[in-house]
Amino acid sequence: MLRYCLPALLLLCCTTADAQSPNVVVIFCDDLGYGDLGCFGHPSIATPNLDRMATEGQRWTEFYVAACVCTPSRAALQTGRYPIRNGMCSSTRRVLFPDSKGGLPAGETTIGSMLHQHGYATHAIGKWHLGHLPQFLPTSHGYDSYFGIPYSNDMDAVKEAPRGKARFNDPKTDYFNVPLMRGEDIVERPADQHTITKRFTDEAVKLITQQKDKPFFIYLAHNLPHVPLFVSKDFTDVSRRGLYGDVIEEIDWSVGQVLSALKEQGVADNTLVVFTSDNGPWNSFRQQGGSAGLLRDGKGSTWEGGMREPTIFWWPGKIKPGVVMDQGSTLDLLPTIASITGATKPGDRVLDGYDLSPVLFDGKAGPRNEMFYYHGEECYAVRSGMYKAHFKTKTSYTGQRQAEIHDPPLLYHLGHDPSEEYDIAKDYPEIIAAIREVKAKHEASVEPADNQLNKR
Ligand code: MG
């Protein structure tokens, strides 16, 4: 009898976490630009904690999100799938709104649900934006706890608030009737956004301090620097960059608090921490938005500035410190986390992510060679190796109503020309032909999903 039970027991041993299993913390910002951190070249925003994290860990310079706006980008991070596969993108309603009836479908496996099944304590903090109805909240998607706002901090504007962009110039927290939730309950409305970064940080530190015999996963998704910009008293007027810099410097402080808590609890050398953001800077808000550095355009566009994010991986004693110029993506987090924790990836669906462990731990070449740049439901551009072809373009939120179609596509070499200034399409017809094939193959792999963002 024992002989027959043994394989099952072994299987159980291999698929259940124990106290030695590594912890994971993902810190995710909102609308942070590629050029907004000191360690990514910003001259007047001070980010000493992130700079130190980058020195001790790996700074990834070619790390992408899978969509250029909030909701689909978050769906991709959580599931390791392009949002076109789970109905979490739309060309008409590009994100979820307070009147939306849709959300991340129950059948999707998030990083939280994968690790929860594996025996982890799982916690979501901050902005969710994958559905605010109970069946879509983190507690319905594998998280033991949730403390945060269910959608963007500029939504639910009250009618007394100044109209249009004027409400962002000197924002008051009660202009935006955004709920702060614990679990499935609203605990404060409107959320006091001045103290929100501090409170999300306190929650993360509390959870790290309380961790006992179970490994944990914390998804800490700051709702800033998305406008409206708010900071606590301690970070008011501290930055040479003005209010936007104050916000980033408070997030930097937050990162320092999280890393210190991990060290104080003696678990830093058993914890992977990833820092990145959901999409590029919101350029149409001018000085209230961030900077994509030398990358072109920002949030809402499929130029590099919309989708390449400043990214840091940190795990003292385990990750090989350095600068990584290989391609990576938030799509890769689920498979990478599965690999390092021993959790089982969903095996019944297409995943678009790769296991980045060989790069993180062994300094090997990255497995990712291509990236598809979605604008709503449509793939506007494709990166293959160092080349990127734009089949359609649309600037972020400024002016251009219709996308411009390019046939032949625009072609850029992202190593020689990271700012995408010099179209070299006419010199490389064979590269364009190869990229067309890559795009066609990807598109053929997509099965239509019930659109969640258009439901209201
Ligand atoms: Mg965003």
Side-chain angles (χ1 to χ4, degrees):
M1 181 64 186
L2 185 64
R3 200 164 46 132
Y4 296 107
C5 290
L6 207 53
L9 280 172
L10 282 173
L11 191 66
L12 197 67
C13 295
C14 296
T15 57
T16 305
D18 58 31
Q20 275 73 52
S21 299
N23 311 299
V24 181
V25 179
V26 172
I27 304 174
F28 203 43
C29 295
D30 196 353
D31 297 4
L32 180 70
Y34 184 81
D36 280 333
L37 307 182
C39 51
F40 278 79
H42 202 286
S44 56
I45 299 178
T47 53
N49 293 292
L50 283 156
D51 298 353
R52 188 165 55 248
M53 182 183 176
T55 304
E56 293 171 359
Q58 287 181 357
R59 179 164 63 87
W60 284 58
T61 63
E62 302 191 10
F63 197 87
Y64 293 95
V65 288
C68 49
V69 289
C70 297
T71 297
S73 173
R74 283 149 204 272
L77 179 147
Q78 286 288 341
T79 64
R81 286 150 61 77
Y82 282 104
I84 189 72
R85 298 197 196 279
N86 43 37
M88 292 298 284
C89 58
S90 163
S91 300
T92 46
R93 292 198 113 199
R94 297 188 65 192
V95 298
L96 291 166
F97 289 90
D99 66 348
S100 296
K101 297 283 190 286
L104 189 65
E108 290 295 323
T109 299
T110 64
I111 297 174
S113 55
M114 176 182 78
L115 291 178
H116 187 264
Q117 281 166 16
H118 192 49
Y120 273 61
T122 51
H123 306 286
I125 305 168
K127 173 171 162 179
W128 181 240
H129 216 180
L130 295 175
H132 61 277
L133 299 178
Q135 65 270 32
F136 302 123
L137 287 171
T139 44
S140 297
H141 271 297
Y143 289 90
D144 296 322
S145 74
Y146 174 51
F147 179 59
I149 64 172
Y151 38 73
S152 297
N153 65 332
D154 64 334
M155 292 181 173
D156 269 339
V158 300
K159 60 177 186 305
E160 294 78 18
R163 296 179 79 82
K165 285 189 177 170
R167 75 174 66 116
F168 300 97
N169 292 337
D170 179 22
K172 306 282 185 284
T173 200
D174 54 4
Y175 287 173
F176 309 92
N177 195 30
V178 176
L180 180 67
M181 308 186 75
R182 188 167 283 284
E184 293 164 19
D185 300 322
I186 294 174
V187 292
E188 185 178 298
R189 191 169 196 172
D192 178 357
Q193 297 197 40
H194 288 286
T195 56
I196 212 160
T197 299
K198 244 184 201 340
R199 286 189 287 169
F200 291 163
T201 306
D202 290 347
E203 179 81 1
V205 168
K206 182 186 81 183
L207 291 167
I208 291 166
T209 308
Q210 287 174 348
Q211 55 85 24
K212 291 196 176 67
D213 48 354
K214 259 189 174 184
F216 61 84
F217 170 55
I218 297 175
Y219 172 62
L220 170 54
H222 291 291
N223 58 260
L224 291 160
H226 190 293
V227 295
L229 301 175
F230 291 102
V231 282
S232 68
K233 280 201 183 74
D234 290 349
F235 285 88
T236 301
D237 296 332
V238 299
S239 175
R240 292 161 72 97
R241 168 63 177 81
L243 177 56
Y244 185 86
D246 293 345
V247 168
I248 304 303
E249 294 188 18
E250 185 154 32
I251 290 173
D252 177 73
W253 164 84
S254 171
V255 171
Q257 294 294 298
V258 169
L259 300 189
S260 293
L262 293 169
K263 286 176 185 162
E264 281 162 20
Q265 294 305 312
V267 294
D269 60 359
N270 196 33
T271 305
L272 169 68
V273 184
V274 185
F275 176 93
T276 189
S277 179
D278 68 335
N279 54 253
W282 206 344
N283 292 340
S284 54
F285 280 88
R286 299 165 62 93
Q287 289 189 65
Q288 293 176 51
S291 165
L294 85 174
L295 304 181
R296 185 163 171 177
D297 215 306
K299 172 177 178 170
S301 92
T302 47
W303 295 102
E304 290 292 289
M307 294 178 61
R308 201 194 286 200
E309 287 298 323
T311 301
I312 304 167
F313 286 78
W314 183 88
W315 186 347
K318 181 89 171 151
I319 277 186
K320 217 177 154 57
V323 178
V324 172
M325 296 184 184
D326 296 349
Q327 287 187 59
S329 169
T330 47
L331 292 163
D332 303 329
L333 294 183
L334 183 143
T336 302
I337 291 169
S339 168
I340 65 168
T341 61
T344 307
K345 286 186 295 186
D348 59 347
R349 63 201 67 188
V350 175
L351 291 181
D352 296 296
Y354 296 93
D355 176 8
L356 300 178
S357 304
V359 192
L360 296 173
F361 308 128
D362 304 324
K364 293 191 175 151
R368 176 171 285 283
N369 190 50
E370 79 296 311
M371 196 66 215
F372 301 99
Y373 300 68
Y374 272 87
H375 191 284
E377 292 134 315
E378 220 179 321
C379 179
Y380 273 25
V382 177
R383 174 172 177 172
S384 180
M386 293 310 293
Y387 291 95
K388 178 177 175 186
H390 290 265
F391 296 84
K392 279 190 175 184
T393 53
K394 193 161 184 256
T395 57
S396 45
Y397 282 83
T398 47
Q400 190 185 341
R401 293 205 172 273
Q402 295 295 326
E404 191 177 345
I405 298 167
H406 305 284
D407 191 11
L410 308 174
L411 187 72
Y412 300 95
H413 186 291
L414 293 176
H416 301 171
D417 179 19
S419 303
E420 300 174 280
E421 287 186 73
Y422 309 110
D423 175 22
I424 52 173
K426 68 174 172 33
D427 300 327
Y428 296 95
E430 72 287 1
I431 300 282
I432 289 174
I435 292 181
R436 280 190 201 278
E437 261 182 56
V438 169
K439 181 170 185 274
K441 193 173 164 201
H442 165 72
E443 288 174 337
S445 79
V446 175
E447 290 178 22
D450 186 21
N451 190 293
Q452 297 294 319
L453 272 54
N454 294 338
K455 292 181 180 175
R456 55 175 153 168

